[in-house]
């Protein structure tokens, strides 16, 4: 039964990741083992579940039906086993979390000693980047991200809201002057822009006036695709930047950066802990979510 159950788990992962190689990577097992388990499962069922070509893997109609039923059954099985385990021991195991760089350095990592004091048997594998990951393909238990939740198959718990600040160094402002209105930024003020790590698009500076949002984007000196590097660009005097206030706050307090255009800042950005809806909420993930909601409320 254990071997058959493993084959079902592997089949589900192949469907969710869209290929044998990716499934093998996320399961940390050889690709040949994944292929063998799928063949054995198909032989056992006497049904073709996956249609393989040299470039892709497609789910057959029978495979799609089998996936829908087994993913629900497996979630119920894990839920039942989790209830038994939870009643007998404290949460344990490896928890894979992905989070943006600034949030990791200044918010999550300083708070984690409290989490480990409560749950010493949990290990955390922390992925740190501004890249939007795929929870299934990247085998993450949850992510902490800001902004609108686009994928309806995910569940999000709100943690906090992050306010924005537009800022530059005192030397920069002494050289170019201090803009009194966002529209003045289009009149010769060098900017440093954030460039999205996924789609490579430049994120314009956003402002609000009389309840109406508008954007400023003109020729920039530099763009970067990581929040910490954007802050470093501002500190180097390369341009005016718009960044999350908590990242800039220590530099604002020391006078290394100066906040400008405060009356036009965009709304605060909601931040969530996000996890897949079709996975059993393990005890280690459940306690992390509840701890994070409590800690950052």
């Amino acid at each position: 039964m254990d071997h058959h159950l493993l084959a079902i788990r592997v089949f589900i992962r192949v469907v969710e990741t869209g290929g044998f190689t990716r499934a093998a990577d996320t399961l940390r097992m050889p690709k040949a083992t994944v292929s063998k388990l799928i063949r054995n499962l198909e032989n056992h069922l006497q049904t073709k579940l996956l249609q393989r070509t040299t470039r892709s893997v497609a789910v057959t109609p029978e495979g799609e039906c089998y996936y829908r039923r087994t993913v629900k059954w497996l979630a119920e099985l894990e839920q039942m086993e989790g209830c038994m385990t939870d009643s007998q021991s404290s949460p344990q195991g490896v928890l894979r979390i992905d989070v943006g760089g600034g949030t990791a350095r200044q918010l999550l990592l300083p708070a984690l000693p409290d989490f480990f004091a409560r749950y010493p048997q949990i290990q955390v594998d922390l992925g740190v980047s501004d890249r939007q990951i795929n929870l299934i393909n990247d085998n993450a238990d949850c992510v902490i991200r800001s902004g609108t939740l686009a994928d309806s198959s995910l569940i999000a718990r709100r943690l906090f809201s992050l306010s924005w600040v537009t800022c530059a160094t005192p030397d920069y402002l002494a050289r170019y002057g201090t803009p009194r209105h966002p529209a003045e930024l289009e009149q010769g003020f060098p900017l440093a822009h954030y460039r999205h790590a996924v789609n490579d698009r430049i994120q314009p500076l956003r402002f609000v006036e009389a309840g109406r949002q508008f954007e400023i984007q003109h020729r920039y000196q530099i763009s970067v695709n990581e929040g910490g590097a954007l802050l470093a660009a501002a500190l180097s005097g390369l341009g005016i930047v718009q960044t999350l206030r908590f990242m800039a706050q220590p530099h604002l307090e020391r006078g290394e950066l100066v906040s400008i255009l405060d009356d036009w800042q965009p709304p605060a950005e909601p931040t969530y802990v996000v996890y897949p809806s079709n996975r059993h909420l393990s005890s280690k993930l459940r306690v992390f979510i509840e701890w994070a909601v409590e800690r950052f409320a």
Side-chain angles (χ1 to χ4, degrees):
M1 179 59 183
D2 288 344
H3 189 78
H4 185 63
L5 182 59
L6 176 60
I8 293 174
R9 292 181 189 273
V10 169
F11 166 72
I12 290 173
R13 186 56 57 86
V14 170
V15 173
E16 292 178 339
T17 59
F20 284 74
T21 301
R22 193 63 184 163
D25 290 343
T26 61
L27 291 168
R28 298 179 180 178
M29 62 173 55
K31 182 182 176 182
T33 302
V34 170
S35 298
K36 181 179 179 181
L37 287 166
I38 295 298
R39 285 198 305 271
N40 291 344
L41 182 61
E42 289 179 325
N43 291 336
H44 172 76
L45 298 171
Q46 296 185 343
T47 302
K48 195 75 169 177
L49 300 175
L50 300 169
Q51 191 65 47
R52 307 160 181 80
T53 68
T54 55
R55 295 184 178 180
S56 63
V57 175
V59 186
T60 66
E62 295 80 8
E64 179 64 32
C65 179
Y66 190 70
Y67 168 78
R68 289 198 306 268
R69 292 177 179 272
T70 53
V71 75
K72 181 179 179 181
W73 170 80
L74 187 60
E76 292 174 349
L77 177 63
E78 290 178 341
Q79 184 75 42
M80 179 179 64
E81 291 181 344
C83 290
M84 299 297 294
T85 302
D86 290 352
S87 66
Q88 298 176 32
S89 63
S90 60
Q92 57 184 299
V94 177
L95 187 64
R96 294 176 60 87
I97 306 168
D98 194 86
V99 62
T103 305
R105 288 188 294 270
Q106 291 174 245
L107 298 179
L108 182 58
L109 286 168
L112 278 179
D114 174 66
F115 177 75
F116 290 130
R118 297 190 196 186
Y119 307 105
Q121 293 181 287
I122 294 179
Q123 298 171 260
V124 170
D125 283 355
L126 191 65
V128 180
S129 75
D130 286 354
R131 180 178 65 92
Q132 295 289 333
I133 72 163
N134 182 298
L135 280 162
I136 302 300
N137 289 353
D138 292 283
N139 198 29
D141 293 295
C142 67
V143 300
I144 297 176
R145 284 291 185 271
S146 302
T148 304
L149 183 63
D151 191 341
S152 60
S153 68
L154 302 176
I155 298 175
R157 293 281 302 276
R158 186 164 180 158
L159 298 180
F160 45 75
S161 291
L162 298 174
S163 59
W164 294 90
V165 64
T166 305
C167 56
T169 62
D171 288 345
Y172 174 98
L173 298 176
R175 179 179 180 184
Y176 294 99
T178 300
R180 303 302 176 185
H181 188 279
E184 295 179 23
L185 295 176
E186 297 179 329
Q187 301 172 12
F189 286 94
L191 304 180
H193 275 299
Y194 180 80
R195 188 178 73 256
H196 287 282
V198 176
N199 56 29
D200 213 37
R201 293 178 181 172
I202 298 297
Q203 177 174 292
L205 276 63
R206 298 180 295 120
F207 299 97
V208 174
E209 186 172 47
R212 181 181 62 88
Q213 293 197 39
F214 62 97
E215 299 178 345
I216 299 293
Q217 180 177 333
H218 69 88
R219 187 179 181 276
Y220 54 86
Q221 286 196 315
I222 187 172
S223 71
V224 297
N225 63 0
E226 195 274 327
L230 181 66
L231 190 61
L235 290 166
S236 300
L238 293 174
I240 292 172
V241 306
Q242 192 171 70
T243 186
L244 292 169
R245 180 172 284 275
F246 82 90
M247 295 181 65
Q249 190 62 36
H251 306 286
L252 293 169
E253 293 174 354
R254 291 193 293 265
E256 297 164 349
L257 291 173
V258 177
S259 177
I260 61 174
L261 304 172
D262 293 333
D263 293 338
W264 292 272
Q265 293 309 301
E269 191 99 323
T271 301
Y272 305 89
V273 56
V274 184
Y275 54 96
S277 61
N278 64 346
R279 287 189 185 178
H280 161 58
L281 193 63
S282 64
S283 60
K284 61 187 178 184
L285 178 56
R286 175 175 50 79
V287 297
F288 174 78
I289 292 170
E290 296 303 326
W291 170 83
V293 170
E294 172 193 333
R295 176 80 184 196
F296 296 115

